[in-house]
């Protein structure tokens, strides 16, 4: 399977910003739609943002207006820019296919929004 490596997480204060990155070992374009997923403690993994091969985006209601997903197929990268962060945004963020192709889950990157 294609390897996906997430990075960019960390500790940030409420109202702050982070930009997450996802590097794919293979061709990103082969995935079609890509997404960012979040798993909070005790919760299921949730798709919070997705982007199609043509650039169309979708967001969970909890992040809409604050998060922006983007992709760079030439660099095999997917990004998630997070603004106006809230404590409820905390969790482990993973990237993966959101359409027909799904790779093994990576380690994710931890995002903690707290004072």
């Amino acid at each position: 399977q294609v390897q996906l490596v997430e990075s960019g997480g960390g500790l940030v204060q409420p109202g702050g910003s982070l930009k997450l990155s996802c590097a794919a070992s293979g061709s990103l374009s082969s995935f079609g739609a890509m997404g960012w997923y979040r798993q909070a403690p005790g919760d299921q993994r949730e798709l919070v943002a997705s982007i199609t091969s043509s650039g169309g985006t979708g967001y969970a209601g909890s992040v809409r207006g604050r998060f922006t997903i983007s992709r760079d197929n030439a660099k095999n990268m997917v990004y998630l820019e997070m603004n106006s962060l809230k404590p409820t945004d905390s969790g482990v963020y993973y990237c993966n296919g959101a359409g027909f192709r799904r790779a093994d889950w990576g380690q994710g990157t931890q995002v903690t929004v707290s004072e």
Side-chain angles (χ1 to χ4, degrees), residues 6-44:
E6 301 90 348
S7 62
L11 175 64
V12 64
Q13 293 183 333
S17 300
L18 284 173
K19 187 173 183 178
L20 309 184
S21 298
C22 171
S25 63
S27 175
L28 182 60
S29 62
S30 68
F31 277 84
M34 291 291 295
W36 282 96
Y37 303 76
R38 180 180 65 219
Q39 187 166 26
D43 290 347
Q44 298 184 50

Side-chain angles (χ1 to χ4, degrees), residues 28-71:
L28 182 60
S29 62
S30 68
F31 277 84
M34 291 291 295
W36 282 96
Y37 303 76
R38 180 180 65 219
Q39 187 166 26
D43 290 347
Q44 298 184 50
R45 186 179 288 115
E46 174 190 20
L47 179 67
V48 299
S50 63
I51 183 167
T52 68
S53 59
S54 61
T57 58
Y59 300 93
S62 60
V63 308
R64 187 174 295 111
R66 299 185 297 114
F67 290 11
T68 302
I69 186 172
S70 60
R71 65 193 294 167

Side-chain angles (χ1 to χ4, degrees), residues 8-20 66-67 80-86 89 111-113:
L11 175 64
V12 64
Q13 293 183 333
S17 300
L18 284 173
K19 187 173 183 178
L20 309 184
R66 299 185 297 114
F67 290 11
L80 184 67
E81 184 174 342
M82 305 183 294
N83 299 307
S84 302
L85 283 162
K86 305 174 180 179
D89 296 322
V111 172
T112 303
V113 184

Side-chain angles (χ1 to χ4, degrees), residues 39-43 90-92 110:
Q39 187 166 26
D43 290 347
S90 298
V92 180
Q110 177 73 48

